[in-house]
Structure formats: structure tokens, C-alpha cells
Amino acid sequence: MNQQKRREIFERLRADNPQPTTELNYSSPFELLIAVLLSAQATDVGVNKATAKLFAAANTPQAMLDLGLEQVMEYTRTIGLYQTKSKHIMETCRLLLEKHNGEVPQTREELEALPGVGRKTANVVLNTAFGQPAMAVDTHIFRVSNRTRIAPGKNVREVEDKLMRFIPKEFLLDAHHWLILLGRYTCKAQKPQCERCIILDLCEYPAKTVSTR
């Protein structure tokens, strides 16, 4: 795929959704961090249901620690792997207070040093909470990048690096959200809805379900 076509793709995505954002509900960098920690192998809808009650009870590192592990697990038990995730939340809160004055750090290295926080989680927080151009490649972005040929790669890191290199800079901040939403609602895993895709004629997926001719 050439750069002219990539630019047109992101121009269309921007025109369709000028201010994209995550579908996770949050009101602070800390709440976003906790929501993303809970979101692995879980839907945003499911996470939002759990965090609505959890954040009403505790929405700071100290309040979460005061709540205690058992109570946190009560709020998160509807989410997959909730026991491990809840332990990560408690340990993360402890480290935020001990090393970062209760604030969420704004560098990838510091974020990845927190329990349960990998590169993808760190990238979500950096991008969404702090407005840094970062690309959190989940299953949706990996699929869309390979299908469309925007940034084909054999693994998540290869796709991330290519996206950061190939996407025009003016689109980098929001590209993560546009690609997730495209994969979640249109370029679905089992049945891509090519007939309603706004980049149908630009996509290089050889098995498109609708012809552009």
C-alpha cells in the first residue's frame, strides 16, 4: 500500500469521526489505567459495568488500597481472570503511592514497571490519558492492519512499528481509536461488513465480500 492511499484512508476515518476516543468509561488517568488493566480478554461493556460500581467506591490509589483486595474482587468478579487482575490492581496502587506520589506516570518504562501493565496497556494510557502518539495494537488493530495492508506484520510489535512509521503524523494521535472502531464494528473477524465500510475502495484485502468494480 502506498502512502497516498494510507493518507486517504485516515482522512476518511477522521471525517467520519473527528474526535474518536476509547469506549472505556473513565474520568482520570488512574481510572483509565485500572479499566485497561481489567480489559484484557474482556469486553469494554463488561469492564464498564464493573468499574461503574468500583470507581464509585474507590477512584484513587489510596482509596483502592483502603477498600482491600477482597472487596475489589467483589466488584471485578464478573470479569475474566478477576482474581489475578485484582491483585495487580492492589500492587499497582501500592507502587503508585510509593514511587509516583499517587499519580500515574507518563512514560512507557515507568508504566510497564507496574504489575499487569504490558506494552499495549502502557500505550493506551499514554495515548488516551496523556495525548501521546502511541499505538496499542490489540486483536482488532492487528487484523485491520493486515487485512487492509495498511501495515502488515507477523506479530503485534511489527504491526505497531509499521503503523508508527507509515501513518502520517497528523493522524497518529487518533489512529489507534479509528482502527479499533473499524475492526470492532465493520472489519469484523468472522464476517467483515465490507458493504458498509468507508474505505472499501482503498482496502487491499483480497477476499473482500463486496466488489468495488
Side-chain angles (χ1 to χ4, degrees):
M1 179 176 286
N2 61 47
Q3 277 301 92
Q4 183 179 351
K5 191 178 284 189
R6 287 191 184 95
R7 172 170 287 279
E8 173 118 7
I9 284 173
F10 285 99
E11 284 178 349
R12 289 189 192 179
L13 292 172
R14 180 173 63 185
D16 183 62
N17 186 0
Q19 295 181 310
T21 188
T22 180
E23 294 187 317
L24 291 170
N25 295 333
Y26 73 99
S27 61
S28 68
F30 175 71
E31 287 188 1
L32 178 64
L33 173 61
I34 299 304
V36 179
L37 274 172
L38 291 170
S39 70
Q41 300 179 47
T43 66
D44 287 357
V45 172
V47 172
N48 288 338
K49 286 181 179 178
T51 56
K53 296 179 180 178
L54 175 62
F55 294 156
N59 64 353
T60 67
Q62 187 61 62
M64 201 73 73
L65 287 176
D66 292 344
L67 202 59
L69 177 60
E70 294 302 318
Q71 194 60 46
V72 169
M73 287 197 293
E74 282 298 313
Y75 287 112
T76 61
R77 64 170 54 253
T78 55
I79 296 173
L81 306 174
Y82 76 96
Q83 292 173 311
T84 298
K85 291 176 181 178
S86 296
K87 290 176 183 177
H88 285 158
I89 287 172
M90 300 304 283
E91 185 63 13
T92 286
C93 289
R94 185 181 66 78
L95 288 175
L96 288 177
L97 288 166
E98 287 182 0
K99 296 187 176 183
H100 304 287
N101 296 313
E103 300 294 325
V104 176
Q106 299 187 35
T107 69
R108 179 182 285 109
E109 293 72 23
E110 289 174 311
L111 284 166
E112 288 186 15
L114 299 172
V117 178
R119 186 177 182 86
K120 184 176 74 172
T121 296
N123 282 345
V124 172
V125 174
L126 291 173
N127 177 267
T128 305
F130 299 123
Q132 297 183 28
M135 192 64 56
V137 180
D138 67 352
T139 56
H140 297 303
I141 293 182
F142 185 79
R143 178 174 67 254
V144 169
S145 298
N146 276 286
R147 263 189 188 162
T148 61
R149 311 304 289 172
I150 289 173
K154 295 178 181 178
N155 56 60
V156 167
R157 184 59 189 273
E158 185 179 353
V159 168
E160 178 188 335
D161 290 344
K162 283 187 176 181
L163 286 169
M164 294 299 292
R165 191 163 72 249
F166 292 157
I167 295 174
K169 287 185 178 180
E170 68 185 278
F171 303 111
L172 263 180
L173 185 61
D174 293 321
H176 157 248
H177 297 301
W178 286 322
L179 293 175
I180 283 180
L181 294 170
L182 184 65
R184 183 173 290 165
Y185 296 111
T186 305
C187 195
K188 298 180 180 181
Q190 299 302 321
K191 294 183 178 180
Q193 298 178 7
C194 299
E195 71 281 355
R196 58 187 292 265
C197 183
I198 62 174
I199 63 165
L200 173 64
D201 57 316
L202 302 170
C203 171
E204 296 182 1
Y205 182 41
K208 281 187 283 195
T209 59
V210 175
S211 173
T212 57
R213 296 176 184 174

